[in-house]
Amino acid sequence: MKLNDLRPASGAKRDRKRVGRGLGSGRGKTAGRGTKGQKSRSGFSQGAGWEGGRSRLIVRLPKRGFNNATVDFQVVNLKDLERFSEGATVNFESLMAVGLVGNKNQPVKLLGGGELSVKNLTIDLDAYSKSAIAAVEAQGGKVVGANASEETA
């Protein structure tokens, strides 16, 4: 058997239905769309929840409760700070330079995951966990804006 001898199984492939190609085709004239009305026109697209022009059910129902909008932080762990040298300043720009964060519109939070052995780091980020602050200060480092640590996310 050769590649040029391969054929799909009999009946496995069918020609596509060509509508609007004359009365003898069985799908001529109105091409299976019926006569008149919105659905018979070209360009008609019925979106999800469309109810023929009246107000959609989702709009008519009352709204209850509230949406608790939380802040999504970019997370950096203590173990990620090992790549910085002793006495370095860690801020958004330095984290972006080493590829730990990427979105400049999203705040950065330092978490206490892993061990920190680098000494005297100065860290200036948007938020911190209490364990991260304790670990940095135990190594002689300084956390700028530590009052942001009361946030929980």
Side-chain angles (χ1 to χ4, degrees):
M1 177 174 276
K2 299 183 177 124
L3 281 176
N4 62 329
D5 292 334
L6 292 175
R7 296 278 179 267
S10 175
K13 293 182 78 72
R14 298 179 60 180
D15 292 338
R16 73 182 171 90
K17 187 180 289 184
R18 299 179 73 227
V19 296
R21 294 297 182 272
L23 292 177
S25 70
R27 288 272 183 240
K29 194 175 175 245
T30 54
R33 289 174 176 255
T35 57
K36 297 185 181 177
Q38 190 174 22
K39 289 170 75 172
S40 72
R41 312 299 185 191
S42 68
F44 169 72
S45 174
Q46 183 170 330
W50 177 252
E51 294 187 24
R54 74 173 177 184
S55 291
R56 300 188 314 261
L57 178 67
I58 194 66
V59 173
R60 294 196 309 265
L61 292 175
K63 306 299 180 272
R64 303 273 324 257
F66 65 96
N67 181 11
N68 189 8
T70 58
V71 178
D72 276 344
F73 286 99
Q74 297 179 84
V75 173
V76 177
N77 278 300
L78 287 175
K79 64 182 178 187
D80 300 327
L81 302 182
E82 291 295 320
R83 60 184 78 193
F84 291 99
S85 59
E86 188 171 317
T89 299
V90 179
N91 54 21
F92 180 82
E93 288 76 22
S94 62
L95 291 174
M96 195 160 189
V98 296
L100 287 174
V101 295
N103 187 348
K104 63 181 179 184
N105 298 320
Q106 202 173 9
V108 181
K109 182 169 185 173
L110 180 65
L111 299 181
E115 296 292 321
L116 180 66
S117 61
V118 182
K119 297 190 180 302
N120 299 330
L121 287 178
T122 302
I123 301 180
D124 184 10
L125 297 176
D126 299 304
Y128 312 93
S129 69
K130 291 177 182 174
S131 60
I133 293 173
V136 169
E137 290 175 348
Q139 291 293 338
K142 186 170 70 170
V143 176
V144 178
N147 55 355
S149 65
E150 310 318 310
E151 294 179 17
T152 55

